Amino acid sequence: MIDDIEKIAVEITQYDISTVANLENFRIHYLGSKGIIKSLYSALKDVPNEKKREVGQQINTLKDKIEIKFNNQKEIFENLEESHTIIDLSRPPQDETIGSRHPLSLVRAEIIDIFSRIGFSISEGPEIEDDWHNFSALNFPPEHPARDMQDTFFIEKNENEIALRTHTSSVQVRVMENSTPPIRTISPGRVYRNEAISARAHCFFHQVEGLYIDKNVSFADLKQTLLYFAKELFGDKAQIRLRPSYFPFTEPSAEVDISCSICNSRGCNVCKYTGWLEILGCGMVDPNVLKSCGIDPNEYTGYAFGMGIERIAQLKYKVNDLRLYSENDIRFLKQFTSGF
Ligand code: DAH
């Protein structure tokens, strides 16, 4: 009987269990209820008593061997099955959802691009500002209504009056304080005002400030730069017109309208049948502002302008509710394909 067991042990090592069907046959043949192991155990009763213990142990060892071989192969098949379900090459591919850039980012990038081409650098400043940079250095008189709680979000109402900046003109001041002319820079950024949120007003929005300081900078330079900008942004047919206006930090000041690209200046409800749309404020930097920022107004002149990014996005994409820009509605956002 010991001979038989040894033969079976050899047979097991050679048994081919490389397919699932073979493995099952192997199990039935050796471990099944009518299998070899079962019959060896029943044959044990005919073994002489003094040999029973030894033969019994041999059968146990043989059974262990069979089980190990069976379990190892079974595990291999199970793993294989799992990995097959993960990389099923016949499955249809999943759609990649590609994001799109926010319309305000697209417009800001375009504005930056246009001014970069004529030598403007980009500068940035903090969104939390002190009274000096947001108001005083820009020639706002102490009693100016913009300093009122109505318009400005104050953070600290002490002698420094720390507030959320109400415009990116504050960056002009920082740039002039920290560099010497010639200065040619634009400053894009977010600004805050204490306004009730509606389709036409929001408590935060985005601006781009422009500043050019050098010897002999004139109002004609300003006009020509803005005309170039309007044509780059809205096409060669775009026209601009300047209306006299007032800002504390520029003298003279103007508001700039662009010909309505929606109706080709024929008159529509967007331009309120005037053929013109207001897009920015501008002017020659007031000598008081130059002085406050450490620049000699007898040696240098300059122009500044400021525009709202939402306003330009509104004209470019015909989106006339400001709230849409900050609601993160995916149905709105996915309409703007960036080409990236
Ligand atoms: N800071 C102004 C605003 O927020 C915009 C502006 C107007 C900026 C005229 C300028 C400027 O630099 O010259 O409404």
Side-chain angles (χ1 to χ4, degrees):
M1 183 147 179
I2 294 205
D3 279 357
D4 284 348
I5 293 173
E6 276 169 4
K7 253 191 238 153
I8 295 167
V10 175
E11 195 184 286
I12 287 163
T13 52
Q14 291 164 354
Y15 200 110
D16 174 19
I17 51 168
S18 59
T19 68
V20 177
N22 282 4
L23 182 66
E24 182 58 5
N25 289 340
F26 176 81
R27 187 189 65 77
I28 294 167
H29 185 63
Y30 292 106
L31 302 170
S33 52
K34 289 179 190 143
I36 303 255
I37 292 294
K38 222 10 185 282
S39 60
L40 286 176
Y41 279 126
S42 18
L44 198 57
K45 63 180 185 312
D46 303 327
V47 172
N49 273 349
E50 68 278 12
K51 283 262 177 189
K52 264 203 172 74
R53 190 183 156 83
E54 189 195 345
V55 175
Q57 273 173 355
Q58 298 259 11
I59 302 173
N60 285 346
T61 317
L62 181 71
K63 187 177 168 235
D64 286 348
K65 249 192 188 166
I66 297 169
E67 281 176 349
I68 288 169
K69 180 163 168 139
F70 173 78
N71 285 332
N72 284 349
Q73 189 61 22
K74 189 173 159 221
E75 203 178 310
I76 291 172
F77 284 142
E78 279 169 358
N79 287 344
L80 216 61
E81 201 176 304
E82 245 171 53
S83 59
H84 271 274
T85 45
I86 292 167
I87 36 169
D88 176 357
L89 298 178
S90 63
R91 287 174 74 172
Q94 255 180 356
D95 268 356
E96 284 285 342
T97 42
I98 298 169
S100 53
R101 294 182 78 190
H102 194 280
L104 297 179
S105 300
L106 291 172
V107 171
R108 183 185 51 198
E110 201 173 344
I111 296 171
I112 290 175
D113 199 41
I114 292 171
F115 283 104
S116 303
R117 291 204 286 274
I118 51 169
F120 280 76
S121 65
I122 316 289
S123 41
E124 287 185 337
E127 291 182 13
I128 298 175
E129 265 299 7
D130 52 27
D131 177 272
W132 171 256
H133 292 95
N134 198 73
F135 295 124
S136 296
L138 289 165
N139 207 28
F140 279 83
E143 69 288 350
H144 195 283
R147 293 166 180 256
D148 209 359
M149 291 299 273
Q150 300 287 305
D151 285 299
T152 307
F153 286 117
F154 285 100
I155 292 171
E156 271 175 39
K157 261 297 214 177
N158 53 27
E159 67 280 8
N160 289 327
E161 296 208 330
I162 307 295
L164 296 178
R165 68 180 176 194
T166 59
H167 52 180
T168 44
S169 302
S170 56
V171 188
Q172 290 190 22
V173 178
R174 291 186 174 273
V175 172
M176 285 192 274
E177 281 174 339
N178 296 314
S179 43
T180 46
I183 295 167
R184 204 181 314 168
T185 191
I186 54 167
S187 319
R190 182 175 282 186
V191 302
Y192 302 83
R193 288 192 199 167
N194 194 356
E195 304 245 16
I197 297 171
S198 70
R200 315 196 54 178
H202 212 293
C203 59
F204 69 82
F205 50 99
H206 300 80
Q207 291 187 329
V208 178
E209 183 79 10
L211 178 72
Y212 180 30
I213 310 280
D214 203 348
K215 289 181 177 151
N216 301 319
V217 176
S218 71
F219 204 91
D221 296 324
L222 170 62
K223 271 175 77 175
Q224 210 53 39
T225 305
L226 294 177
L227 181 61
Y228 155 79
F229 168 69
K231 286 183 184 294
E232 289 295 299
L233 195 64
F234 289 103
D236 216 32
K237 279 198 248 140
Q239 296 289 318
I240 58 167
R241 83 174 176 186
L242 281 77
R243 284 178 287 106
S245 185
Y246 172 78
F247 299 102
F249 34 91
T250 43
E251 181 58 37
S253 306
E255 274 170 324
V256 177
D257 298 338
I258 184 166
S259 49
C260 181
S261 57
I262 293 166
C263 62
N264 282 328
S265 302
R266 275 190 293 268
C268 63
N269 59 354
V270 178
C271 64
K272 302 204 187 76
Y273 301 92
T274 61
W276 296 96
L277 297 157
E278 187 192 322
I279 57 160
L280 56 84
C282 66
M284 300 305 291
V285 180
D286 193 292
N288 284 341
V289 175
L290 293 174
K291 237 184 281 170
S292 295
C293 301
I295 291 175
D296 182 357
N298 295 319
E299 196 178 350
Y300 293 104
T301 53
Y303 64 69
F305 56 85
M307 66 186 91
I309 299 184
E310 278 82 352
R311 174 78 179 142
I312 293 182
Q314 178 187 358
L315 299 178
K316 264 195 105 74
Y317 299 119
K318 308 188 176 51
V319 175
N320 50 12
D321 188 331
L322 277 177
R323 292 168 294 195
L324 286 165
Y325 292 116
S326 51
E327 277 171 352
N328 279 339
D329 186 331
I330 200 84
R331 291 166 304 178
F332 171 69
L333 295 173
K334 73 179 179 192
Q335 297 175 68
F336 302 91
T337 45
S338 63
F340 286 99

